[in-house]
Amino acid sequence: MTAILTGGFADPAPQSAHAFRALLEAMARPGRIHTVLGAEPPAPLSVAAGVTLLTLTDATTPLHLAGAYDCADLRSWIAFHCGAPLVSAQEAQFALGAWEDLHPVTQFKIGDPAYPDRSATLIVEMPELTATGARLTGPGIAAEARLSLPETAAFQANRKLFPLGFDVILTCDKRLAALPRSTKVEAN
Amino acid sequence: MTDQAYNFAYLDEQTKRMLRRALLKALAVPGYQVPFASREMPMPYGWGTGGVQVTAACLTPVDRLKVIDQGADDTTNAVSIRRFFQRTSGVAVTEATAEATIIQTRHRIPEQPLSEGQILVYQVPIPEPLRFLEPRETETRKMHELEEYGLMHVKLYEDIARHGEVSTAYAYPVKVEGRYVMDPSPIPKFDNPKLNDSPAIQLFGAGRECRIYALPPFTKVVSLDFDDHPFQASKAEHNCDLCGCGTSYLDEVITDDQGSRMFVCSDTDFCATRQAEGHRGRLSPEAA
C-alpha cells in the first residue's frame, strides 16, 4: 500500500519544470534522447514514463492503460499521484503501454480537421531506446535523425494524416524521446 | 529575493500542465494555433500575458532569462516582466543574447543568431493572420482546415495594386512547412528570414486570444509573396548613429523640434556590444 503513496515528485514545481523541458526538447527535436529523473513508480512502469505521467496528466486528461500496464498497482499509483480518469483507447487523450499492446494504433484519436490538437499522445514503453535504426526527417531535424522505433509502417501511415494524427513519447528506463506526427519515418 | 507566497514561476502546477500539453501539441503541428485556457495574470492584456504564461510553463530554476521589448532590454514592458520572474522564480537574468536560455520578446528577433538550447518566446496580440480579413473565428478555422488562403494573397495583391509593392511592413504572414499560414507576431518583416530554419525553439503565446503556437527548430518558414514581387526584408536605409552598423534593424528617433533625427539599432544589447568593441557611428561621442 505504501508503495502507492510514494514515488511521486518530492518537490513538484522544479522537478516537473525540468521534466517538461526534457519533453519539450524531445518533441521539438524528434529522435533526440533525454534523461529524466524524479519519479519512482511501481513496476512495470519505467522512470521516464512515470515522470511523463506526473508532468502531463491530471484529472482533466483521460488515460488509457494497455496490456500489462493495466494492473492494480499502477491504477492505484496513477489515481493517487495524477488523478487521471482511466478510459478506453478510443476516448483517451494519453495512452500508456508497450507498442504491441497499443495495437491497433488506428483506434486512438487523431484530432478533428478544425482542431488537430485534440488527438492522443501515446506513451510507448520500449525494451530499448537508442539513436539507431529508422531514419527521421522533418521539422525539428537539421538533416536526419535515427531512432530505434518499434516499426515504421504505422508511423508512415500516421504521417500521411498530417495535420491530423497521434504523437508518441517513447520511454525506456530513465530515457525518453518523442516522435510527433510531423516527422517522416523511413525504414533503415 | 523570491516571493515565497507564490508557486515557482507564479502559476499553479495544474495550469502549467495545461500549458505544457498545449505546447507539445503546438510543436507537433507547427504553425497551428492551439487553444488554451489562458489565465488572468497580474498585468493587463497587451502587456505580454500570453508570453508570460508560456515562459512560466517552460522556466526551470537553472534558466537564464532575457526579456526584450522592441529589441530593448530597458523599456517598461521588458523591465517589469523581467522583475516579475525574478520575484516569482528567482531565476538568473541577463541582457546578453548569447547567455540567455529563454528569451521572451515583444516584436523583435535578436540580431545575434540564436543557437540550440535557446527558446524564443513571442508575445502575440492577434494570433490569427486572417482575422482582419475575416472576423469570424468559425470561418477562419474552416479556412485553416481547408488550406483556403487565397484571401491573404488578395490582400497582398491589393497592397501592390495601391502602393506598387507589398506595403505590409510588420506581422508579415508566413507559411509553415507548406501547410499553415501563421502570424509571426508584429515583428518587422526584416526579421522574417530569421524565423526559417532556426536552431532555437520558437514559441508564441497570445493571452487575450487564448492561443499558443510554435515553430520547432529547423522548420521551413516562407514569407508569402508573388513570383514577380518577391519578398524583401526591408529596413531604414541608414547606418546606426551609435555603433555604425549597416545591417541591423533601426529605430528612428526624433532628437529636437527642428526635424533632426537619428537612427539607432533597435536591439540594445547588439548595439552596446558593438560600441564596447570600439565601433562608432555618426553621433557617437568623441573618444575620451
Side-chain angles (χ1 to χ4, degrees):
Chain A
M1 182 65 200
T2 49
I4 287 157
L5 304 181
T6 60
F9 285 144
D11 191 2
Q15 282 182 305
S16 63
H18 283 293
F20 174 67
R21 274 296 273 282
L23 285 163
L24 184 82
E25 288 283 344
M27 195 61 87
R29 302 176 203 276
R32 196 73 68 87
I33 296 171
H34 293 266
T35 303
V36 289
L37 293 170
E40 289 167 16
L45 195 62
S46 69
V47 171
V51 166
T52 305
L53 288 178
L54 291 173
T55 307
L56 296 179
T57 65
D58 54 34
T60 65
T61 55
L63 172 69
H64 173 69
L65 299 178
Y69 291 83
D70 191 9
C71 62
D73 273 2
L74 217 45
R75 282 173 168 257
S76 307
W77 190 80
I78 289 165
F80 182 74
H81 291 280
C82 308
L86 300 179
V87 297
S88 69
Q90 290 77 15
E91 299 169 285
Q93 188 174 346
F94 286 88
L96 169 70
W99 180 249
E100 51 274 19
D101 293 330
L102 292 168
H103 268 293
V105 286
T106 47
Q107 66 188 321
F108 293 104
K109 279 191 212 169
I110 56 168
D112 179 283
Y115 293 93
D117 57 300
R118 295 177 183 174
S119 63
T121 302
L122 313 185
I123 303 167
V124 182
E125 290 270 53
M126 304 278 292
E128 58 181 40
L129 186 63
T130 57
T132 55
R135 180 171 177 268
L136 314 181
T137 53
I141 303 167
E144 63 163 43
R146 302 259 170 193
L147 193 62
S148 55
L149 296 177
E151 67 165 280
T152 53
F155 297 110
Q156 288 166 342
N158 189 45
R159 176 65 182 80
K160 287 208 179 91
L161 301 170
F162 190 87
L164 304 183
F166 55 79
D167 307 301
V168 175
I169 297 167
L170 301 146
T171 55
C172 174
D173 194 19
K174 297 186 175 67
R175 288 167 302 128
L176 61 84
L179 193 76
R181 66 192 84 171
S182 59
T183 304
K184 292 189 185 73
V185 176
E186 291 163 86
N188 197 7
Chain B
M1 173 70 198
T2 310
D3 270 332
Q4 295 298 330
Y6 294 107
N7 189 27
F8 174 75
Y10 185 75
L11 293 173
D12 61 279
E13 290 301 300
Q14 171 127 8
T15 298
K16 284 193 215 166
R17 279 193 294 271
M18 173 273 295
L19 282 158
R20 287 165 177 167
R21 290 192 293 264
L23 284 165
L24 293 185
K25 287 298 176 194
L27 283 168
V29 193
Y32 165 72
Q33 303 162 48
V34 181
F36 78 107
S38 182
R39 298 294 195 250
E40 193 93 4
M41 297 301 284
M43 62 189 72
Y45 289 128
W47 281 64
T49 54
V52 165
Q53 289 177 79
V54 170
T55 300
C58 294
L59 209 58
T60 69
V62 295
D63 270 312
R64 191 174 293 271
L65 180 69
K66 172 181 165 82
V67 185
I68 52 172
D69 169 8
Q70 303 270 12
D73 291 276
D74 53 2
T75 54
T76 311
N77 196 195
V79 169
S80 54
I81 290 172
R82 191 183 314 124
R83 285 204 54 220
F84 172 75
F85 280 115
Q86 279 179 292
R87 280 184 63 184
T88 57
S89 71
V91 294
V93 296
T94 182
E95 294 193 0
T97 302
E99 289 174 15
T101 53
I102 296 185
I103 303 172
Q104 181 169 335
T105 175
R106 175 176 174 269
H107 309 180
R108 267 316 304 279
I109 299 175
E111 300 288 348
Q112 176 166 353
L114 300 176
S115 57
E116 183 173 335
Q118 292 186 305
I119 299 175
L120 188 58
V121 178
Y122 296 78
Q123 303 170 197
V124 182
I126 309 282
E128 177 50 72
L130 303 165
R131 182 62 68 233
F132 290 109
L133 307 171
E134 170 52 67
R136 289 167 296 182
E137 169 68 14
T138 47
E139 290 301 305
T140 54
R141 191 156 284 281
K142 196 61 124 181
M143 290 157 81
H144 283 293
E145 176 185 333
L146 301 175
E147 277 185 87
E148 181 50 70
Y149 295 128
L151 204 54
M152 185 57 90
H153 278 100
V154 170
K155 181 205 179 261
L156 297 176
Y157 167 73
E158 285 180 348
D159 267 9
I160 296 170
R162 269 192 212 132
H163 308 290
E165 59 177 9
V166 177
S167 55
T168 304
Y170 65 95
Y172 192 103
V174 295
K175 197 162 200 182
V176 179
E177 286 287 331
R179 179 58 180 85
Y180 284 100
V181 164
M182 185 190 97
D183 184 334
S185 87
I187 58 172
K189 68 177 174 182
F190 175 83
D191 282 340
N192 269 26
K194 299 180 208 165
L195 294 162
N196 182 46
D197 213 26
S198 168
I201 299 173
Q202 302 176 79
L203 306 173
F204 298 77
R208 179 184 44 210
E209 305 289 323
C210 309
R211 295 289 184 277
I212 282 172
Y213 49 108
L215 296 172
F218 309 112
T219 297
K220 284 196 272 310
V221 181
V222 179
S223 302
L224 299 181
D225 62 359
F226 299 97
D227 289 344
D228 53 345
H229 284 270
F231 171 80
Q232 278 182 317
S234 60
K235 67 182 274 289
E237 293 291 330
H238 293 271
N239 293 343
C240 173
D241 285 332
L242 294 179
C243 77
C245 183
T247 55
S248 66
Y249 189 74
L250 300 173
D251 287 338
E252 184 176 6
V253 182
I254 308 292
T255 51
D256 59 24
D257 58 2
Q258 308 298 310
S260 304
R261 59 198 58 203
M262 66 187 294
F263 289 89
V264 293
C265 293
S266 113
D267 186 334
T268 52
D269 168 56
F270 176 79
C271 196
T273 306
R274 276 179 56 86
Q275 289 180 63
E277 287 168 355
H279 295 280
R280 289 289 174 268
R282 185 176 63 93
L283 297 177
S284 296
E286 293 299 318

